[in-house]
Amino acid sequence: MGIRERLSGNEAIAVAMKQINPDVMGAFPITPSTEIPQYFSSYVDNGEVDTEFIAVESEHSAMSTCIGAQAAGCRAISATSSCGLSYMHEMLYVAASDRLPITLAVSCRALSGPININNDHSDAMSVRDAGWLMLFAETNQEAYDNYLQAMRIAEAVNLPIMICQDGFITSHAIENITLVEDDKVKDFVGEYKPEYSLLKGSMAVGPYATPAFYIEAKRQQAQAMIDAKDVIRSVSADFEKMTGRKYDLIEEYEMKDAERAIIIIGSSAGTAKEAIRGLRATGEKVGLIKIRSFRPFPAEEIARALKNVKVFAVMDKADSFNSHCGPIFAEVSAAMCVANINNPKGINIIYGLGGRDVRVESIERVFAQLDEIVKTGDVGESYRYLDVRE
Amino acid sequence: MSNLKAKDINETITWKEITLGCSVFEGGSAELVNTGDWRTIKPVIDMEKCKQCMLCVPVCPDMSIPVEEDGRRGEFNLFFCKGCGICAKVCPFDAITMIKDEK
Amino acid sequence: MSYNLKEELKKEERFTGGHRMCAGCGSPIAVRTVLRALNPEDKAVVCSATSCLEVSSFMYPFTAWKDSFIHNAFENAGATISGVETAYKALKKRGKIDDTYKFIAFGGDGGTYDIGFQSLSGAMERGHDMVYVCYDNEAYMNTGIQRSSSTPHFADTTTSPVGAVIPGKLQKKKDLTKIMVAHNVPYVAQTTFMGNFKDISEKAHKAIYTPGAAFLNVMAPCPRGWRYETEELMTITKLAVDTCVWPLYEVIDGKYFLSYKPKTKLPVEDYLKAQGRFSHMLKPGNEWMVEKMQEEVNRHWIDLLVLCGEK
């Protein structure tokens, strides 16, 4: 069952792309996602796929070609990071609004400036309102598995999807991984058969919509994102049947009796689990909620998982520079508010910006801060930076 | 998924009915739009003077000069014509005049 | 087959009335003429950059395009149509499509000379089998007549207004056609509306049916922005050509061919005085501006004659 390999996260994504053999890829290199189009170009030039690869002159054009190709009835893919994602920004909205299920692999990296090539989530978080589905991976295996599920999820709701992993931390680190056999991947992903396309009858895409129609279009788009929660669950269930690997919108780790919890996204969840194992061994009731699906945002699921804790910390690897919290904290707080859950106290930890190392001790320090709040009953400053020199 | 045609899409349709991504699944639906009511002057052709040279046809920005099956130009399509007068100006035979459009 | 206007006009229109461009606008004339150059049996996918043309030709739910059409954004018509063209290649290769399709992108000078320049350059360099048509009306008309890099020297626009100190646009017009030639694409041409439309029709046909990337630069006057009466469109384009302000030529595999040489090259003043955007140049004391413009036109014309082997 499965093929045992050792791959970097970037190569794992490239292998998934190869197994899917999509119609068109338009991409432009940027650290740390560059390897993805590099690997893929070699598959194209060696005849291992028959995808048309467009070596565009920018990320903006990468997303523009994907929009054209997907509207023409193709599966279109790309890969990017950081400023490349920012440069696509305008086109990301168009892709979602045109309801084109494009797949974009993102190896997350800090945004300039100062220019920095290391991991944080400022790139992905800055496009969180673009209307894309966004799945995040903790490990190379998850990046690969998410990618195999991406097109089925996206195509079911006609929304584009980002498969995010942490630049360098998973994109470049080589880990053991279990690949799915090629034929099983093909069966699982299936054929793309859009009802309409530019190359099937006459179709016009991308109109000027007046105030008489614009908000209806947006409401319909919002519904697709709402519907996506069930789709992700059902595709994940099928994936589990095929591989035995279980996925959901969130992963709860040691949450059953947890009194202190952290909410985290991406590779640092692995570090946090290690910290929790250590703390649990000394009898501390600590747990973790890992967000896999950031868009759609699993608001109810997170609120439910947090309702019995005493205190929680939302870990944001990006800041909103709004003077009070990062993006995930804002979303989690809204989720708690809507669920009318007021008991747990919450703080926001901004961490790991620009590749600042996140160690087991870093996470232990967060739990220690939570412990302090439990003991004193005083939240104090809720907007905190972790491991910054004071 | 809604596949309403343009003729059925108006300001009463709901968000469930609007077409996916506001795409339109037909060509040339603008033919439903009356732009003739923008006009203050209109072209009139004197078929006696017209030599069917056809020079007026390609200059029309509004496809308002139909070409019949026999290759001759027909009467103006005033549903589209905005009254720009380019056709009248290019006519070598003064067969087209622009007159005040009384609506 | 030699060009015959009557035969050309028997083809079904591929761009319909009911669009919302201003009365007398040059861009729909460019569009319908280029699309008429398609062989009727061939299908096409058309892309337009955000522009007057785009917002007026596809206001939901009314599309003036009978062929499939995609609008993406202002700055990326080149990339967008190259994505569609690549999709066609991919699907054709996989046996999922039988029909023959052609790919045509339209952009105004804003979407072509300026904000869409990089995307256009990339598409041309990659050599997609497509035509990019610039309908050049020499300013950002959609947002209200702001200057572009295509706006002529001294022209009065809303961001290069004729003021007490600065007399209109200080910079010269960018020569985009030659920049496109420098991309080593197989076909580049400059044209506008003349007489029986032979020049533009033949160039459009060549552009569409030359394998690889082609570029067509069409002067498409804007009566509102250039300030002339709408019926004067064909007078303006004829003057542009006869003064050599907008020479007609084509470049096939790098070789220049002059399409039209005026019997009598008219003074540039004849072109300027027909349009309100240049009216300040004709005021007493501003003779130097006309002289300067004439010098520039002469220089470019001679350069072109040399390139075309006419001198």
Side-chain angles (χ1 to χ4, degrees):
Chain A
M1 187 77 186
I3 305 156
R4 296 180 69 80
E5 252 294 6
R6 283 159 53 208
L7 297 175
S8 72
N10 278 342
E11 191 170 8
I13 291 286
V15 167
M17 289 170 169
K18 178 170 72 171
Q19 292 181 307
I20 293 166
N21 192 20
D23 302 294
V24 174
M25 180 178 202
F28 188 79
I30 182 166
T31 305
S33 62
T34 304
E35 288 178 333
I36 297 173
Q38 274 182 342
Y39 283 121
F40 200 79
S41 306
S42 73
Y43 304 148
V44 172
D45 285 10
N46 290 321
E48 294 175 77
V49 291
D50 65 352
T51 306
E52 289 287 333
F53 180 78
I54 318 176
V56 286
E57 84 298 335
S58 69
E59 291 88 354
H60 192 288
S61 286
M63 190 43 59
S64 303
T65 54
C66 284
I67 289 169
Q70 191 88 31
C74 283
R75 272 197 177 122
I77 62 168
S78 190
T80 196
S81 295
S82 186
C83 307
L85 189 64
S86 296
Y87 194 30
M88 288 180 182
H89 195 264
E90 178 190 5
M91 303 333 301
L92 297 175
Y93 279 75
V94 175
S97 158
D98 286 351
R99 308 297 301 278
L100 299 171
I102 295 160
T103 307
L104 175 63
V106 181
S107 302
C108 294
R109 164 188 151 186
L111 286 178
S112 300
I115 187 169
N116 171 288
I117 60 167
N118 299 94
N119 170 247
D120 69 28
H121 297 149
S122 52
D123 51 1
M125 289 299 149
S126 72
V127 298
R128 65 189 182 274
D129 296 340
W132 284 57
L133 302 153
M134 297 171 80
L135 299 185
F136 279 77
E138 175 189 330
T139 62
N140 300 8
Q141 182 73 59
E142 287 186 12
Y144 171 79
D145 289 352
N146 284 346
Y147 202 90
L148 294 185
Q149 296 170 59
M151 289 171 192
R152 279 193 43 189
I153 296 165
E155 289 162 14
V157 293
N158 292 297
L159 287 177
I161 187 164
M162 273 178 224
I163 299 301
C164 305
Q165 63 173 310
D166 283 350
F168 291 111
I169 299 171
T170 64
S171 76
H172 282 62
I174 293 169
E175 286 183 338
N176 290 330
I177 191 169
T178 306
L179 302 176
V180 181
E181 293 82 354
D182 290 356
D183 53 334
K184 284 190 185 167
V185 169
K186 289 235 155 44
D187 286 348
F188 181 81
V189 178
E191 284 258 317
Y192 180 50
K193 290 177 184 157
E195 200 176 338
Y196 296 98
S197 89
L198 294 171
L199 298 173
K200 209 159 90 179
S202 277
M203 178 188 187
V205 176
Y208 173 50
T210 62
F213 299 108
Y214 184 91
I215 196 170
E216 276 72 25
K218 291 292 128 181
R219 174 64 186 86
Q220 193 185 71
Q221 190 182 323
Q223 189 63 41
M225 191 58 84
I226 295 166
D227 295 345
K229 286 176 75 170
D230 282 343
V231 172
I232 293 170
R233 285 196 195 94
S234 113
V235 172
S236 302
D238 284 355
F239 190 81
E240 188 187 354
K241 274 181 217 146
M242 177 172 73
T243 63
R245 296 192 287 276
K246 187 176 168 60
Y247 291 100
D248 205 328
L249 301 168
I250 60 171
E251 178 190 330
E252 295 179 56
Y253 182 80
E254 299 283 5
M255 282 299 293
K256 256 190 197 129
D257 60 345
E259 293 175 354
R260 286 172 284 150
I262 62 172
I263 296 97
I264 205 161
I265 196 162
S267 64
S268 302
T271 314
K273 285 174 185 173
E274 183 58 27
I276 289 166
R277 275 191 286 274
L279 293 169
R280 281 270 169 185
T282 64
E284 300 200 33
K285 291 184 173 174
V286 292
L288 162 83
I289 299 167
K290 181 181 85 185
I291 298 173
R292 176 191 181 220
S293 169
F294 181 65
R295 288 287 181 268
F297 192 76
E300 292 164 27
E301 292 75 7
I302 290 173
R304 201 180 306 130
L306 281 179
K307 72 174 187 298
N308 295 321
V309 306
K310 290 182 177 163
V311 62
F312 64 87
V314 177
M315 307 282 290
D316 264 301
K317 226 177 200 178
D319 198 345
S320 279
F321 301 109
N322 53 11
S323 85
H324 81 121
C325 71
I328 304 177
F329 185 78
E331 304 252 357
V332 169
S333 301
M336 300 292 273
C337 178
V338 168
N340 200 22
I341 297 169
N342 306 313
N343 297 333
K345 295 180 165 62
I347 58 166
N348 189 200
I349 304 285
I350 309 287
Y351 76 107
L353 301 188
R356 175 58 51 89
D357 211 5
V358 185
R359 297 162 178 271
V360 169
E361 306 85 75
S362 313
I363 303 294
E364 286 170 353
R365 278 193 283 278
V366 175
F367 280 116
Q369 291 181 28
L370 294 181
D371 193 40
E372 187 67 21
I373 294 170
V374 172
K375 283 182 179 143
T376 62
D378 180 18
V379 170
E381 175 60 65
S382 60
Y383 174 46
R384 306 179 182 193
Y385 265 63
L386 180 68
D387 292 351
V388 68
R389 291 183 297 276
E390 297 288 350
Chain B
M1 182 185 135
S2 161
N3 53 8
L4 284 181
K5 297 290 183 194
K7 67 176 171 47
D8 300 316
I9 297 172
N10 55 49
E11 299 190 9
T12 69
I13 64 163
T14 68
W15 67 264
K16 289 177 185 167
E17 295 166 314
I18 203 161
T19 51
L20 193 72
C22 288
S23 291
V24 172
F25 308 113
E26 62 191 306
S29 56
E31 280 181 324
L32 297 166
V33 179
N34 178 4
T35 54
D37 59 4
W38 298 15
R39 202 174 48 234
T40 57
I41 53 172
K42 70 174 178 186
V44 178
I45 182 153
D46 180 347
M47 281 299 187
E48 302 273 294
K49 285 188 184 169
C50 175
K51 302 277 191 286
Q52 292 293 337
C53 73
M54 307 299 273
L55 289 177
C56 58
V57 178
V59 302
C60 177
D62 291 293
M63 284 52 74
S64 302
I65 306 179
V67 177
E68 311 292 352
E69 270 178 29
D70 60 4
R72 296 165 67 85
R73 63 149 292 170
E75 277 298 331
F76 285 103
N77 181 345
L78 294 176
F79 188 70
F80 296 138
C81 172
K82 295 167 188 159
C84 68
I86 301 173
C87 56
K89 187 79 183 184
V90 298
C91 179
F93 308 104
D94 292 327
I96 303 171
T97 41
M98 300 303 293
I99 63 165
K100 192 162 187 290
D101 193 12
E102 310 279 0
K103 287 199 185 74
Chain C
M1 201 174 72
S2 67
Y3 177 81
N4 180 317
L5 175 64
K6 290 188 183 183
E7 289 305 313
E8 287 297 311
L9 295 176
K10 282 182 185 168
K11 293 179 183 171
E12 198 189 329
E13 285 289 345
R14 300 176 88 130
F15 191 67
T16 73
H19 63 73
R20 296 160 205 259
M21 259 81 74
C22 302
C25 175
S27 83
I29 303 173
V31 166
R32 66 182 289 217
T33 309
V34 169
L35 296 183
R36 198 162 60 231
L38 282 158
N39 294 335
E41 67 275 17
D42 289 342
K43 296 186 170 181
V45 179
V46 181
C47 173
S48 172
T50 311
S51 58
C52 292
L53 172 67
E54 187 280 320
V55 298
S56 307
S57 68
F58 188 20
M59 185 187 281
Y60 187 73
F62 303 114
T63 171
W65 307 87
K66 285 197 177 163
D67 296 288
S68 277
F69 173 80
I70 180 167
H71 158 249
N72 198 349
F74 192 4
E75 66 283 14
N76 63 357
T80 305
I81 200 72
S82 57
V84 179
E85 183 263 357
T86 306
Y88 171 67
K89 268 200 324 221
L91 294 176
K92 197 98 175 168
K93 185 166 68 182
R94 292 178 173 187
K96 292 182 176 175
I97 204 161
D98 297 323
D99 295 314
T100 298
Y101 275 86
K102 295 289 166 185
F103 302 93
I104 305 172
F106 290 95
D109 48 296
T112 309
Y113 284 68
D114 290 345
I115 196 170
F117 184 65
Q118 170 182 320
S119 174
L120 168 64
S121 178
M124 290 285 128
E125 182 272 330
R126 293 190 300 271
H128 298 273
D129 192 7
M130 56 171 276
V131 185
Y132 190 105
V133 182
C134 175
Y135 71 94
D136 185 357
N137 54 26
E138 301 190 327
Y140 306 149
M141 300 311 184
N142 197 26
T143 41
I145 322 166
Q146 292 83 32
R147 62 88 87 189
S148 75
S149 65
S150 170
T151 301
H153 201 173
F154 303 120
D156 183 24
T157 74
T158 58
T159 52
S160 63
V162 175
V165 181
I166 298 175
K169 193 194 177 201
L170 291 177
Q171 299 79 14
K172 294 168 195 167
K173 182 182 168 94
K174 186 195 273 184
D175 193 342
L176 183 67
T177 310
K178 283 193 184 140
I179 297 171
M180 289 299 113
V181 173
H183 282 71
N184 294 316
V185 292
Y187 190 79
V188 175
Q190 186 163 293
T191 182
T192 187
F193 321 128
M194 288 279 282
N196 66 357
F197 281 58
K198 180 174 189 284
D199 190 75
I200 182 175
S201 300
E202 290 185 341
K203 285 173 178 169
H205 189 83
K206 282 187 208 169
I208 295 167
Y209 289 97
T210 299
F215 179 81
L216 212 54
N217 205 355
V218 184
M219 173 185 266
C222 166
R224 176 78 186 81
W226 294 15
R227 287 185 265 146
Y228 65 85
E229 293 301 322
T230 55
E231 68 266 23
E232 298 296 342
L233 176 98
M234 296 297 284
T235 318
I236 302 285
T237 52
K238 179 103 171 59
L239 281 169
V241 173
D242 281 338
T243 54
C244 301
V245 163
W246 188 259
L248 308 183
Y249 65 98
E250 58 188 348
V251 185
I252 303 170
D253 291 325
K255 197 166 165 28
Y256 280 73
F257 298 92
L258 192 68
S259 313
Y260 175 87
K261 197 172 186 174
K263 282 194 187 72
T264 315
K265 179 166 167 282
L266 299 178
V268 72
E269 194 172 339
D270 289 5
Y271 176 69
L272 302 177
K273 71 186 179 196
Q275 303 167 59
R277 62 177 172 156
F278 299 119
S279 59
H280 58 293
M281 296 172 71
L282 303 165
K283 287 187 177 149
N286 286 345
E287 293 80 5
W288 66 274
M289 293 161 98
V290 179
E291 281 163 26
K292 180 82 190 147
M293 182 79 119
Q294 187 68 63
E295 271 171 34
E296 288 164 14
V297 168
N298 291 349
R299 183 167 62 82
H300 287 298
W301 176 243
I302 289 165
D303 285 352
L304 183 64
L305 290 178
V306 170
L307 284 168
C308 294
E310 301 268 340
K311 200 176 172 88

